Every structure is written in structure tokens, then in C-alpha cells.
Amino acid sequence: MAIVALPAGLPGRRLGWLVLPLLLFLVIFFFLPVGRLLSLSFAGATGPWEHYLRAASVPAYRVALATTFEIAALVTLISVVLAYPVAYLMATVPPRVTRLLTLCVLLPFWTSSLVRTTAWIILLQRNGALNTLLTEGGLTAQPIAFVYNMSGVLIGMSHVLMPFVVLPLYSAFRGIDANLVHAAETLGAGPWSLCRRLFLPLTAPGMLAGATIVFMNALGYYVTPALMGGPAQTMIAQLIAFNISEQLNWGLAAALSVAVLGATLLVFSLFQVVFGLEKLLGDSSAPVAATPFAVGSRGRSAGGWVLVMAGVAVVLFLLAPILIVFPMSLGSSPFLSFPPSNFSLRWYEEFFNRPQWIASLWNSLQVAGIAVLGATTLGTAAALALSRLRGPLGRLLETLFILPMIVPQIILAVGLFYLLAPWGLIGGHWALGLGHVVMAAPFVVITVRAALRGFDRNLELAALGLGASWPAMFRRVLLPAILPGILAGAVFAFITSFDDVVLALFLTNVRSRTLPKLMYEGVAHEINPTITAVAALIVLFTLAVLLTNLVLQRRAR
């Protein structure tokens, strides 16, 4: 192992062992359950390939596999197409407007995916706001089927995953030197030539990074296709859950898991080989051009104005389901309509007066507490160790710590269920809490690693050289510097836990079910107006957490 050079005897040289707690935790609660699940795929009564042959011979499984790749590819394409106008708009407006647009992108990004999916169902259903607008405006004679089909799946998944492309694309635009654009214009390049020969090649790495994340996430997606799709849009994750919960066919579910996991890891490995892990994770040290990209000396072209209008439309698309939830939650009618004819707090009172809603909220907060404490502690320690490790070992450990973000959640959920059920841990807070630590720890590692890259190591050496012990230096020098990264990681951990549905479906029961699971059960059967009040409260709660995090980060700085 290669370690950053420090004077002999300094405790900082011995921080490499801090990777062990997170590594051991992941071995027990990630690699072991996933490995045991995948091994079941080779435990057939007639041979090791029995389940694979069945998956290949049954038409329903072949169709679902093809549908999974089709939906993942279409969602990735739509996300890229929609992200370019937003990234261009963010890069070519004044800084104050850029900050506002960034907030408009991040607010949906941080908001629960279940809340957004629920809002889209309300918005797009047969008697929803969009069909009401179209029919009353005379644009259509009959309501259009926007949901419970392919269009519903593509709209819902693209809305959830598109911000993963917007953010790296914006960074790529900021990395384009405006002088390069001026030089190209001086040499006679027109808007189309600039786009084809300059902007697209220079933003391609950022676009590919975002597209890779979207595609990998889409392959294992569960909630949105299950709620917004129909039978023809059944994806592999749904069949894995079906074979476990309905058929009790662990071997076939494991074989399907191997298929989707193999495809995910293949995409991840190819990207890592070509571009590197830092580009996939959004390297915070990526250079910003000395003269960042802006509108050219000729002003915006006609195509530029088209991109601006498209960018504004996409931002409205991102905000629409969140904004529509609030007025609908204030309606008094038991039938969802937009805009509501009468305003009332009836559904908020229903939420606070129903014991099952309050109990599920308390369960979610308890599980999130376990996730935040565990992920923040383990992730921060691992990030400190990784900052001292170099060479193949450091890259290997970083990859291992990132894998829980790559592996589809349905595989982790089923693997943990198979591991923990014999121990009698299913149905309590700890099984789900430990699963959420697995999911959230990589976010903490990434955010704290980014903070450590911006830390001047000379301050550490100066403090140690002046006689401070390493704990004193950490408390008074290092910790204040990386505290914003730790807080951001803790917020990521909280929202990751509070938003989870997939693990909760397998690791909780009626008494321990979380708020997202109770919402999912309600949406899957019939949308009660109380769910709109819950969705609005979750959005407000998420916004409060984000604002609190921003305030704490400013004070820490």
C-alpha cells in the first residue's frame, strides 16, 4: 500500500486501518447476502444451469428482459435530450439565475422518487389535471391514456433520473473556455458548426457519465414501472420480486438477478476503463475554464433561443409534479381534481389522526436515525483512510465502497431478506436500518472524499509539527474543514433512507412498515387523497432538511 508521505512517526500515516469497519460491514451485509443469493441460481435440481435455461425458454422472461433494456435505453436517451437545454441554459445565464435554476433541478432530485411518481399518476391519470386541461380546452375529445402504459413509465423514470445527466453536463459546459468559442467564431464557425465540432465533443464525457448512471439505475428500477406501467412494461426487477413473494422460486429469481447485475456491472466496468471512476462520480476537482463558457460575441443564435425555451420547458417539467401536489392536498373532495373546487385541511387532519400514518412516520424516522449514524460514521472513517491510500489498493477499495450504489436495490433487498430471515431480524427496525446503511455509506464516502480533496494538508502538518496530537489536530483543524462534506453525506443518508421503498417491501411487516411503504401500498391499490397530503408534507420536510444543511454548511465554513 502506498501512503502519502508524512514525517516519520505521525499518526496520520496509520489511518489506512480506518477502511476496515466499512469494509467488514459491507462484507457481512452486502457482499455476503448478494453472493449467497446469486449462488442460488446454480442450485438447480437437474443441474447448475436449470434456472438459466428456464429463464431463457419462458417467453415472459425473455420479453421482460428485452423490455428492461428497451426502457433503460429510451429513458437514457430522453434524459440526455432533455438535459442538454437545461445545462446550456444554466451555463449561459447570470450567476444568480444559475443558482435559482440549480435549486429547481436539485429540489426534484432530492425529493422522494415515490412522491414524484405519485404526483405524476395524479397528474396523468384519466381524470387528472393534464387530461382535464386538454378536454376542457377542446384539444382532445376523449382523455388520453398517459399512464399505466409505456408513456407513463418513460415520463416517470425520465423525471426521476434526468438530474443525473443535468449536473455533469453543466460541469462540462463550465469547463469550455469561452476564448475557444470566440476563436471558432472568428474563424467563421456558425452555430451548427460550433455545436457539432465544439460543444458536443467537449461535453461528451459529462454526458456519458450521466447517461451511464441513468442506464445502470434504469436497469434495476422497480417502483415507477410497477406503479405507472402496465403488463407490457413488466421489467426484470418486478419479476424478481414476483418469483420471491408469489412463487417462492429463489433459484429463478437469482438467475434473473444475475442477468440484470451482469449487465449493470458490465456497463460500470466499461465506463471505468474508458473514463475512470472519478468522472462517473463527478470529480469535484475537475477544472473550470479560466473564462467559463457564456453566450458568444454574436449573441444568441436562433438555435440558442430555441434551447433557452426548451430549457425553461424542461425546468417546468421537473417542477410540475411537485407544485401540483400542494393545491391538490388542500382539496376537500374525496375525488382528486385539479384545481380543487374547495380548499380544506381535511386530508392533513386525516393524516395526523390516523394511527397507521403516524406509526409509519415514526418507523421511518427511527430507521433513518440508524442509517444516518451508521453511514456517516463508517463512511467518514473510510473516506479519511482513502485520502491516505494510493495505488491499486486505494482504487480497489474505492470501487468496492461504490458498488452498493451500482447494484440494483431489488437484489440487495432480496439478498438481505434471505440472509436475515433465519436470524429472526425481519420485521424490526434494525434489518431495514442496516440495509439503508449499505445504501447510504457510499454517498458519505463520496462527499467526504470531495471535502478532503479541498483540504490543505500543510495545515495538518503545521499543527502536528507544532506539537498537537493527532486527535487534537483532527478536532480543531481537519474536522471543521471537512464538516460541510460530512453534513452533506448525512443529509444524503437521511434522504436515501427516508425515500426507500424496495428494501422496506421485503424487510418490514405491518407493524414496522415505513411511511414510503404505506404510501406505496396505497398508490398501488387506489390513491386516497390523504396520500397527496403526505406527499406535500414530505416535500416540505425534504426542503427543510436541505435548507438546514445549507445553513449548517455556511456556519461551518
Side-chain angles (χ1 to χ4, degrees), residues 359-368 370-371 420 425-436 497 507-509 511-514:
S360 65
L361 173 61
W362 177 236
N363 288 333
S364 291
L365 293 175
Q366 288 180 286
V367 171
I370 297 172
L420 299 179
L425 295 177
I426 303 299
H429 296 136
W430 280 101
L432 185 58
L434 293 173
H436 287 175
S497 173
L507 302 180
T508 62
N509 55 27
R511 294 177 59 86
S512 62
R513 62 185 174 184
T514 59

Side-chain angles (χ1 to χ4, degrees), residues 102-111 319 322 539 542-543 546:
T102 303
L103 179 62
C104 292
V105 172
L106 288 179
L107 181 58
F109 178 74
W110 285 81
T111 303
L319 294 177
I322 296 176
V539 172
T542 302
L543 182 60
L546 291 178

